Amino acid sequence: MRAALRHVAPADAGAVLEPVLAVYAAAFAADGWQLEPGAIDAARSRIPIHLARPGASLVVAEADGALVGFAYGHRGERGQWWTDRMLAAAPALEPLLGGHFEVVELAVAPDAWGEGIGAALLEAVLAERPEPHALCTTRAGTRAMGMYVRRGWSVVAEPPGGQPVLHLPLAPRP
């Protein structure tokens, strides 16, 4: 499957929100996640909030006229839910938190797995970032974890009862 990547301006994200949510639901269910009731509605509310933050970036992958994957993130700062939660769960992360790029979500439709779309989306959402490093969480043992590790990410914390925190230094920018 040949997919084309497209950056979507945060202000235009509403036009792709429902296809993004469909890929999100299908990908996470197929990878063994138990989406709780209301998870899609919560994501529907959360994504526009994230995309309104400074440094937000959304990239979608499309093939044969359909959205088959997406990745998005924003600059993470103290005072934001995820950053503060990670600081409380793993205080050793303190030097990395604040001013980082947070990869919030990355998902590929299951029928497009194995085509390199996830890696391409990750590279595109991280391209030309001014932040010194990127962080994210994902569940151990998933396809996503393997993709991140193959792309140079490393586990920097494993909060009790939480998902591993992954880190990638980003190339210094002039």
Side-chain angles (χ1 to χ4, degrees):
M1 174 181 298
R2 181 127 175 107
L5 301 185
R6 176 171 62 99
H7 287 266
V8 177
D12 298 331
V16 297
L17 185 57
E18 291 307 315
V20 159
L21 292 170
V23 167
Y24 173 86
F28 282 76
D31 207 16
W33 291 79
Q34 297 293 329
L35 291 179
E36 296 183 17
I40 299 303
D41 287 335
R44 183 178 286 112
S45 298
R46 182 178 61 245
I47 291 171
I49 293 168
H50 290 160
L51 293 176
R53 290 184 174 160
S57 179
L58 169 64
V59 181
V60 297
E62 298 164 313
D64 301 323
L67 193 139
V68 296
F70 72 94
Y72 85 89
H74 58 79
R75 184 173 314 115
E77 298 292 354
R78 307 271 171 92
Q80 294 172 351
W81 180 85
W82 187 87
T83 300
D84 289 351
R85 184 170 175 244
M86 292 303 103
L87 184 58
L93 290 175
E94 192 273 333
L96 299 174
L97 294 169
H100 61 280
F101 184 74
E102 178 184 333
V103 177
V104 180
E105 300 289 356
L106 186 153
V108 174
D111 62 349
W113 286 356
E115 302 289 331
I117 294 170
L121 284 164
L122 185 59
E123 287 181 22
V125 81
L126 293 176
E128 301 180 27
R129 296 302 318 172
E131 296 85 4
H133 51 267
L135 296 166
C136 72
T137 54
T138 195
R139 213 170 74 193
T142 60
R143 295 175 64 89
M145 176 64 96
M147 190 253 330
Y148 283 112
V149 170
R150 285 189 304 277
R151 307 227 53 87
W153 292 68
S154 60
V155 174
V156 291
E158 295 192 42
Q163 300 169 0
V165 179
L166 298 162
H167 171 259
L168 180 72
L170 299 176
R173 306 289 192 254

